[in-house]
Amino acid sequence: MRQFYKDNRIVPLGIMLLTFFIFVYHFELGRQVPLGEIPAASAPNTFVVESTDPKAAAKYADETVDQPVHHTIPSPVPSAKPPISTSTSSHSLHQAKGLATDDVILMFKTGATVLWKRVPIHMATTFSPNRIDSKNIIIYSDYHETIGQWDIIDVLSNSSDKVRKSETFQPYLQQQDYEDRQNYAEMSNVPGDAAGPSGGWKLDKYKFLPIIEHAGRNKPSAKWYIFMEDDSYIFLPNLLRHLDQFDHKDPWYLGSLAWIHGDYFAHGGSGFALSRGAWEKSFGKDPKIVEKFEKFTEEHGCGDHILGHVLHEYGVQFGETTDDNRFRYGFNPESHWSTWYEPANWCKPVYSWHHTHSKDVARFYNLEQSWDFEKGPLRYRDIYEALVAPYLRPRAEWWDNWSGKYEIKSSMAASAEPPSTVKSTETWRSAWTSVDACEAACISWADCVQWSFYEDRCKMDSMVLLGNGIPEGDSRRQTSLPWVSGWLPRRIENWACQE
Ligand SMILES: *[C@@H]1O[C@H](CO)[C@@H](O)[C@H](O)[C@H]1NC(C)=O
Ligand SMILES: *[C@@H]1O[C@H](CO)[C@@H](O)[C@H](O)[C@H]1NC(C)=O
């Protein structure tokens, strides 16, 4: 009897092992998985594969971030360097001495039509006294308000008569009438809501020069002026560590690179930092900057560009040279779920996110609070682990189709050239035929980490971007077939850091 039970345990085990080997064998034949990859069943109809070549991953991680981060660059990547500023040189990078939040001013920009929606979350997070003292924060808007202890400055109040006559400036003048007629620019779905004067966002460009002028004039002992918008989050401890490598007496202007009309500048939404040295070299030398560039401001549309242009006029360059990514990486023009994670940025610190929802701001703050910065900065991989990886699945229906490095469509599949790590051209070219075939093609390419499939199209990428799915009950489900996306998280986890 005992013997029987024993056999009874061995037989199913034998069957399981046999099934497994048949599965693996079938798999090797059918999918042409490159040598060394061992598929492991992880969910019905899906499989996750270990990355094969840690050396390749390490080599990749070694490369600089210069590779353009597609979809998220706010403007074209410049093709030429501007002249190097005379007084800035690499010797001004110095050893960390421990920059504190008391050494910086946080310039926070909002506007009357979005303030009530976007600012309160920051009062519970970004402006927390355990993070930065309120005397180091200035909130700038285009209408004066008071919320609790916070006095919100109307930074356009000193605008000249000439500016006040401008067509684009009219929403500023109309704001008072909204107030006087008991309207609320809150859009919180409560009776009495109004959107505020139309075109209110156009006022934004007028704010940048007066903000910098005001902050530098009123807080002359600050070493750095850190700018952020109301739909951004800045990991302050990370950024302070970064800024501490630069001498604040030199003219530094650091952020996410953008480019318009031949001017290089720091993209406003990504946040940026201006050293006291840069302020003194420009605004400090000329108290009439706002007036002097009224015409330029009138003729251009983006305040961050206007500021960058003005700084250049006074010899303050963006970074040291625009294409050295020491001066611009880590400031992101998008949020964590619409940014690419790749070996090149995996181990780098993150300074900012833009287009943040209030929920994201809360999550970033929680993560920052729980982080031990003594052990090291928050890196892209840490954000990935905390806020991206939990959403990834081997396969998800109704998920956005972001993957894009390679696209195989029925119309061009026959001539599609696979990347060199793909052993089977056949597997690659048949990627468009089904969800399974698309997934198999991704697996056959050693660098592939995400794929998506729709009708007769398979897209694959060597970087990962979370995007978002279309939930049940969403009307978009009525208007198309389901996109199917999938990720290979085990390969992502194998991206290496040189530590
Ligand atoms: C406007 O001008 C007054 C008087 O010069 C000054 O005290 C104030 O700080 C200015 N406001 C801003 C926002 O620059
Ligand atoms: C995603 O798929 C839809 C079709 O459902 C298409 O219209 C859209 O252009 C695709 N988006 C991207 C980013 O490829």
Side-chain angles (χ1 to χ4, degrees):
M1 207 56 180
R2 228 190 172 133
Q3 186 60 39
F4 175 77
Y5 279 131
K6 230 178 180 173
D7 288 348
N8 232 9
R9 269 178 295 175
I10 288 165
V11 169
L13 185 68
I15 291 170
M16 275 166 67
L17 278 173
L18 188 67
T19 315
F20 179 72
F21 284 120
I22 289 171
F23 173 73
V24 169
Y25 179 67
H26 160 84
F27 197 79
E28 286 286 334
L29 283 183
R31 320 239 180 196
Q32 299 283 342
V33 173
L35 228 62
E37 296 208 342
I38 302 157
S42 64
N45 298 323
T46 62
F47 39 82
V48 177
V49 174
E50 302 245 15
S51 176
T52 49
D53 188 356
K55 264 188 284 159
K59 185 184 134 272
Y60 208 177
D62 235 10
E63 289 168 13
T64 55
V65 209
D66 253 343
Q67 190 177 350
V69 181
H70 50 267
H71 305 307
T72 58
I73 282 252
S75 59
V77 174
S79 54
K81 295 177 195 178
I84 292 172
S85 170
T86 46
S87 69
T88 54
S89 58
S90 52
H91 68 248
S92 55
L93 286 170
H94 67 102
Q95 283 300 304
K97 286 199 200 76
L99 198 63
T101 47
D102 264 351
D103 297 323
V104 307
I105 293 300
L106 191 62
M107 306 174 291
F108 183 95
K109 178 174 75 59
T110 184
T113 55
V114 288
L115 175 136
W116 299 104
K117 271 247 184 281
R118 294 182 179 177
V119 178
I121 184 66
H122 290 282
M123 293 180 168
T125 56
T126 302
F127 307 155
S128 285
N130 65 350
R131 197 172 183 261
I132 179 167
D133 196 287
S134 60
K135 72 178 189 313
N136 298 95
I137 301 168
I138 312 179
I139 308 174
Y140 294 106
S141 182
D142 43 30
Y143 195 80
H144 176 248
E145 297 283 3
T146 303
I147 306 179
Q149 62 153 317
W150 300 101
D151 188 51
I152 294 157
I153 294 180
D154 174 1
V155 78
L156 300 182
S157 62
N158 291 342
S159 301
S160 74
D161 289 344
K162 208 163 140 203
V163 170
R164 284 167 192 268
K165 288 199 188 90
S166 162
E167 176 78 31
T168 43
F169 199 74
Q170 294 318 298
Y172 175 79
L173 304 174
Q174 292 157 0
Q175 278 169 175
Q176 191 58 43
D177 200 38
Y178 275 72
E179 172 71 32
D180 294 347
R181 292 174 202 270
Q182 177 65 10
N183 278 242
Y184 298 88
E186 277 192 40
M187 300 310 279
S188 44
N189 210 12
V190 172
D193 272 357
S198 55
W201 59 273
K202 289 185 188 166
L203 296 173
D204 220 52
K205 68 170 182 175
Y206 295 105
K207 296 177 197 165
F208 283 72
L209 298 182
I211 286 176
I212 307 296
E213 160 66 25
H214 181 271
R217 198 70 62 197
N218 288 278
K219 303 283 185 180
S221 59
K223 293 179 177 164
W224 291 90
Y225 301 90
I226 298 172
F227 174 94
M228 69 178 287
E229 306 203 340
D230 55 10
D231 59 344
S232 298
Y233 189 82
I234 288 186
F235 290 115
L236 216 42
N238 266 9
L239 184 55
L240 294 186
R241 277 172 78 120
H242 180 56
L243 297 180
D244 204 23
Q245 297 173 275
F246 301 86
D247 189 338
H248 70 275
K249 292 189 229 61
D250 285 336
W252 291 109
Y253 170 38
L254 309 166
S256 163
L257 175 71
W259 184 83
I260 303 181
H261 296 296
D263 288 325
Y264 303 90
F265 60 96
H267 174 238
S270 311
F272 60 82
L274 200 66
S275 67
R276 179 68 195 176
W279 192 88
E280 280 173 2
K281 197 170 177 176
S282 50
F283 290 80
K285 285 229 174 79
D286 189 349
K288 295 246 174 281
I289 278 188
V290 178
E291 241 178 279
K292 208 159 155 181
F293 288 89
E294 257 172 18
K295 186 159 180 286
F296 188 85
T297 303
E298 207 47 55
E299 288 165 354
H300 294 83
C302 305
D304 46 2
H305 160 233
I306 293 162
L307 174 65
H309 175 86
V310 168
L311 291 172
H312 276 246
E313 295 281 302
Y314 290 83
V316 178
Q317 306 282 343
F318 177 85
E320 187 176 51
T321 62
T322 54
D323 67 354
D324 182 336
N325 71 64
R326 253 183 317 166
F327 305 115
R328 60 185 170 92
Y329 73 81
F331 296 90
N332 293 292
E334 288 300 333
S335 196
H336 72 287
W337 59 273
S338 49
T339 286
W340 293 94
Y341 298 83
E342 54 181 323
N345 66 16
W346 195 234
C347 306
K348 299 233 192 295
V350 179
Y351 305 130
S352 67
W353 297 113
H354 181 219
H355 293 151
T356 53
H357 289 90
S358 296
K359 177 167 176 156
D360 293 331
V361 171
R363 298 200 284 189
F364 299 147
Y365 174 74
N366 290 344
L367 184 60
E368 185 191 281
Q369 289 295 301
S370 70
W371 199 255
D372 181 358
F373 287 91
E374 295 288 312
K375 294 208 178 110
L378 265 165
R379 300 159 300 175
Y380 284 83
R381 69 175 295 174
D382 304 316
I383 303 295
Y384 168 86
E385 275 161 20
L387 300 171
V388 175
Y391 290 91
L392 302 186
R393 307 169 220 179
R395 195 179 278 199
E397 280 203 342
W398 294 109
W399 200 281
D400 207 351
N401 45 319
W402 285 89
S403 304
K405 190 169 273 178
Y406 288 98
E407 184 175 24
I408 313 289
K409 291 186 281 194
S410 59
S411 56
M412 47 65 79
S415 58
E417 278 311 315
S420 62
T421 54
V422 174
K423 298 261 176 351
S424 161
T425 305
E426 186 46 39
T427 304
W428 190 256
R429 290 183 177 166
S430 56
W432 63 274
T433 57
S434 69
V435 172
D436 288 340
C438 181
E439 185 182 52
C442 178
I443 288 167
S444 78
W445 170 31
D447 294 334
C448 187
V449 290
Q450 75 172 17
W451 55 270
S452 61
F453 180 83
Y454 186 82
E455 206 161 14
D456 68 340
R457 260 190 289 171
C458 173
K459 298 200 213 175
M460 292 168 273
D461 219 299
S462 59
M463 310 193 277
V464 65
L465 183 147
L466 179 57
N468 42 29
I470 299 179
E472 278 174 45
D474 186 304
S475 62
R476 286 172 293 169
R477 284 204 180 196
Q478 310 305 322
T479 58
S480 77
L481 297 172
W483 270 92
V484 183
S485 291
W487 292 274
L488 306 181
R490 303 263 289 276
R491 286 186 178 178
I492 300 164
E493 284 153 22
N494 278 331
W495 287 347
C497 286
Q498 318 271 303
E499 275 159 323

